[in-house]
């Protein structure tokens, strides 16, 4: 509801400013529109390609089995959450760099950009270290099922993928 209210407010503010502007300045500028469409098209292709990869992986795992599909969905949700966390640093960086550029402070903008890159790298390394430390704990947080021989091993793959066979309690004698 908050998003709807905020967007409605922005829409009302836009229409108000548009109607107050002189008629000549309200006409679309084809050169600006063309550059925005070019940038938008690149972002659109990148986003579609990323989502297509996830849809393709999901469709394959749906054929493999429910456990694999569930694990994939959990991993995808963690990926999306962590991407948004890191995106918050990028958004803050854009605001800070934009403010410096708006004040004609190129050195300040470079310093802010470098600082944001350092923060993003540090956050990425920290998140990676936390995920690595929780490699045995995190999967159990999403299920009450007991571990099995086909459960992910420490290397993050099933025992079959790691080249190991599950041990059986009885051996066949060949009779």
């Amino acid at each position: 509801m908050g998003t709807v209210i905020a967007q409605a407010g922005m829409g009302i503010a836009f229409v108000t400013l548009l109607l107050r502007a002189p008629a000549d300045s309200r006409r679309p500028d084809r050169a600006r529109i063309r550059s925005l469409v070019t940038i938008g098209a690149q972002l659109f292709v990148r986003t579609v390609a990323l989502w297509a990869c996830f849809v393709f992986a999901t469709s394959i795992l749906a054929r493999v089995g429910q456990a694999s599909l569930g694990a994939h969905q959990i991993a995808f949700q963690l990926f999306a959450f962590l991407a948004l966390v890191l995106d918050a640093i990028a958004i803050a960086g854009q605001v800070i760099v934009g403010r410096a550029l708006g004040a004609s402070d190129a050195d300040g903008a470079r310093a802010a950009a470098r600082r944001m890159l350092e923060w993003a790298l540090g956050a990425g390394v920290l998140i990676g270290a936390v995920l690595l430390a929780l490699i045995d704990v995190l999967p159990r947080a999403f299920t009450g099922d007991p571990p099995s021989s086909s459960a992910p091993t420490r290397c993050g793959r099933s025992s079959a993928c790691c080249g190991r066979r599950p041990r059986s309690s009885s051996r066949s004698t060949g009779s």
Side-chain angles (χ1 to χ4, degrees), residues 30-107:
R30 290 180 190 253
R32 287 184 183 172
I33 292 173
R34 191 175 306 115
S35 71
L36 290 174
V37 167
T38 302
I39 292 169
Q42 294 169 1
L43 290 173
F44 177 77
V45 168
R46 181 203 66 151
T47 302
V48 167
L50 180 65
W51 281 102
C53 290
F54 287 119
V55 168
F56 183 67
T58 302
S59 69
I60 289 172
L61 289 168
R63 292 179 185 103
V64 171
Q66 290 181 354
S68 296
L69 181 61
H72 171 71
Q73 290 303 313
I74 291 168
F76 174 72
Q77 292 302 316
L78 286 172
F79 167 80
F81 171 73
L82 295 174
L84 290 173
V85 167
L86 290 175
D87 198 37
I89 296 172
I91 291 169
Q94 289 173 358
V95 170
I96 293 169
V97 169
R99 184 177 295 154
L101 289 175
S104 299
D105 182 11
D107 292 335

Side-chain angles (χ1 to χ4, degrees), residues 133-150:
L134 296 175
I135 197 166
D136 291 328
V137 176
L138 202 53
R140 289 190 202 109
F142 295 98
T143 183
D145 294 344
S148 68
S149 61
S150 64

Side-chain angles (χ1 to χ4, degrees), residues 149-150 157-166:
S149 61
S150 64
R157 298 187 181 117
S158 70
S159 55
C161 292
C162 293
R164 290 182 244 135
R165 293 190 176 169

